[in-house]
Amino acid sequence: MQRREAIAAARVALTGIGDWLWQAPGNTSDGSSAGGGTAGGVGGLAELLGEVDALGSVCDAARVAVVGEAIDRGEPGSGVRAMTAVQWVREHAPSTRAGGARAVVEVAAAFAKPVNEPVRVAVESGRLPVRSAAVVVTEADRLRPLLAEGAEPHVLAGLVDMAVEHGPRGCRMVRPALLARYGRDGQLQVEQDVARRFVALSQPADDGSGISEYRLVLDPEGRAVLEAALGPLSAPRPVEGMRDLRSCDQRRGEALVELVRRAVVSGQGVGPVAKTQLVVSVDWAALGRDVRGVGGLRAGSTVGGVDAGTLLAPETVRRLACDASVLPVVLGSAGEVLDQGRAVRLFTTAQTRRLWLRDGGCTFPGCSVPAQWADAHHLVHWADFGVTDVGNAALLCGRHHTVVHSRRLAGRVVTDPDPGTGQGGGERVQWDLTLGSYDQLLARRAAQEPA
């Protein structure tokens, strides 16, 4: 009874607050109160807003607690008017009719599970708003089956911290980082490979005014590549001392057209500029697939540019390193730079043309994609100390390049005997389509190396 009287008194105290706010002192530039006395013992407006906000957070937490208790007692479904829990909340908490009733019910139901105890504590302390708590619970449920053993408490704490600091959007954005650090081995790679299936560019929609609209959907790899390429071309360009008046979106659109124009101008030859320009910081253990336990960041992170910090799974980094101007900064266990890659590891124009003549197109069995549409792939990956040599190269189309990396397939250059002389004839690439055959190749190479 005393609690309910105190709640009623707080409601009365806030009723008509606008009528006496004019008496509250203002704040000076250094945050201290100014203007004489106080209104009802209240300091400056900033302090008052903080108190009201804290009270609102406590009210949200109390609403969840009441709903949880009602669900436990079965009140929503009892009586003459049986209702769902959401309907019951809307009936007795009119402010939720504009939205939020479902989130309250979902959070209250989630708090009944012991696994969500840290989220409940954060809400009841007023630290985490209910709306953010609903996202935390949802994201935790999605991540839980994908985590390494013992990682769940760390992930839940990370989600709560991000939701407190950056709200629901920040909670959702931290998912790749949590998977890279705490996910099962290769889980981030699986997610990024799945995301590639949704890459799409729509047909142009023309409203008759000559303006065409496209819809572009990219995976993390495609986004990182595009942003790295657009960055230098979309920067503001003052003309004769006058600032660039184009909007950011206009500059980016014109930069994309410029990229396409340059690609078309290069024709079927090999352009002098690499396909992407990325700087990727990656731990050597992650790149070498030698990561054990929980806590290691099993991903590379893009450096510089507007898209800095994008996480790329190790196999994605290896694939990009085959035929792109990726500058990998490889870090040791103590964070020291072991190697700062250089673009000279890319196949030269002459080497690529030699591959065109030798391979004729994509070398994956059954593929007929022409050479001009294919990438030069290191048979022994650059990350595994493979040399940039025609004898260590094969042409692969984009689709089969991904297949070779994701399935860890090994290929080798073989020489077919000349039918007339029985001597060495033409060279071709032979693929071992056994899943994981590349790892077997690396094991054989390691066994041959001197101790």
Side-chain angles (χ1 to χ4, degrees):
M1 182 63 68
Q2 290 181 346
R3 291 270 184 148
R4 294 191 63 170
E5 291 175 354
I7 293 171
R11 178 167 55 84
V12 170
L14 288 177
T15 301
I17 187 174
D19 295 336
W20 53 263
L21 280 179
W22 62 272
Q23 302 177 59
N27 283 348
T28 61
S29 59
D30 62 359
S32 60
S33 296
T38 61
V42 178
L45 293 177
E47 290 86 348
L48 178 58
L49 180 60
E51 290 291 340
V52 172
D53 185 67
L55 181 59
S57 296
V58 172
C59 286
D60 285 343
R63 183 186 289 120
V64 170
V66 171
V67 172
E69 182 67 21
I71 293 174
D72 286 344
R73 297 184 184 185
E75 284 200 18
S78 63
V80 179
R81 292 184 57 201
M83 293 180 280
T84 66
V86 174
Q87 290 171 336
W88 187 86
V89 171
R90 289 172 179 161
E91 174 76 14
H92 300 288
S95 66
T96 64
R97 294 171 189 170
R102 187 172 302 278
V104 171
V105 171
E106 290 175 352
V107 172
F111 285 177
K113 303 175 183 178
V115 71
N116 290 317
E117 179 66 14
V119 189
R120 184 186 67 80
V121 171
V123 170
E124 291 185 351
S125 68
R127 179 168 170 252
L128 182 66
V130 170
R131 187 168 66 96
S132 297
V135 177
V136 169
V137 169
T138 300
E139 287 299 306
D141 287 343
R142 292 176 58 198
L143 285 169
R144 198 168 282 117
L146 311 178
L147 301 178
E149 186 177 354
E152 186 173 336
H154 305 288
V155 170
L156 201 55
L159 288 172
V160 169
D161 289 343
M162 282 296 293
V164 169
E165 188 69 24
H166 301 288
R169 182 172 180 269
C171 183
R172 296 187 183 99
M173 290 179 63
V174 79
R175 177 184 174 91
L178 292 176
L179 281 180
R181 188 172 297 277
Y182 299 112
R184 293 178 181 175
D185 190 20
Q187 188 60 50
L188 179 63
Q189 185 69 58
V190 170
E191 291 222 338
Q192 293 194 352
D193 288 344
V194 170
R196 288 175 64 88
R197 303 175 191 171
F198 298 94
V199 172
L201 176 61
S202 69
Q203 294 291 331
D206 190 345
D207 62 1
S209 65
I211 303 298
S212 297
E213 181 176 338
Y214 293 81
R215 183 173 182 267
L216 176 63
V217 179
L218 293 177
D219 63 337
E221 175 187 344
R223 170 181 164 177
V225 170
L226 181 61
E227 291 299 330
L230 285 180
L233 291 177
S234 62
R237 296 187 178 182
V239 178
E240 297 180 353
M242 299 292 292
R243 69 188 184 93
D244 194 337
L245 298 179
R246 297 176 299 166
S247 67
C248 177
D249 286 353
Q250 182 180 352
R251 296 198 309 270
R252 287 170 60 82
E254 292 179 1
L256 181 59
V257 173
E258 177 63 21
L259 284 174
V260 176
R261 182 180 289 114
R262 292 185 183 186
V264 173
V265 168
S266 68
Q268 295 187 350
V270 178
V273 179
K275 294 183 180 178
T276 60
Q277 296 179 1
L278 292 174
V279 178
V280 180
S281 171
V282 60
D283 179 80
W284 179 255
L287 194 60
R289 295 173 64 88
D290 186 22
V291 178
R292 298 292 184 269
V294 175
L297 187 63
R298 289 163 283 186
S301 178
T302 59
V303 179
V306 297
D307 212 37
T310 297
L311 294 180
L312 300 178
E315 207 60 56
T316 303
V317 176
R318 294 189 195 95
R319 183 169 61 243
L320 283 171
C322 281
D323 192 45
S325 182
V326 182
L327 304 180
V329 181
V330 182
L331 307 178
S333 59
E336 72 277 17
V337 176
L338 296 181
D339 179 51
Q340 185 161 349
R342 296 168 296 166
V344 295
R345 75 173 194 295
L346 298 178
F347 292 99
T348 65
T349 300
Q351 287 175 316
T352 303
R353 286 175 177 163
R354 172 71 181 84
L355 292 176
W356 288 5
L357 293 173
R358 188 194 73 187
D359 296 345
C362 177
T363 59
F364 198 86
C367 186
S368 58
V369 169
Q372 290 87 348
W373 296 356
D375 301 330
H377 165 77
H378 287 75
L379 292 173
V380 177
H381 303 169
W382 173 86
D384 296 319
F385 304 103
V387 295
T388 304
D389 190 312
V390 172
N392 186 45
L395 290 182
L396 288 171
C397 67
R399 176 171 176 268
H400 287 127
H401 200 173
T402 299
V403 169
V404 165
H405 277 276
S406 62
R407 298 183 183 176
R408 303 288 287 175
L409 303 182
R412 63 190 182 106
V413 178
V414 298
T415 303
D416 292 325
D418 189 300
T421 64
Q423 304 296 320
E427 292 181 328
R428 63 183 176 86
V429 178
Q430 184 180 73
W431 289 99
D432 183 347
L433 301 185
T434 305
L435 187 67
S437 58
Y438 180 75
D439 295 315
Q440 299 173 13
L441 169 66
L442 291 184
R444 290 195 298 270
R445 284 168 56 90
Q448 295 172 1
E449 294 178 357

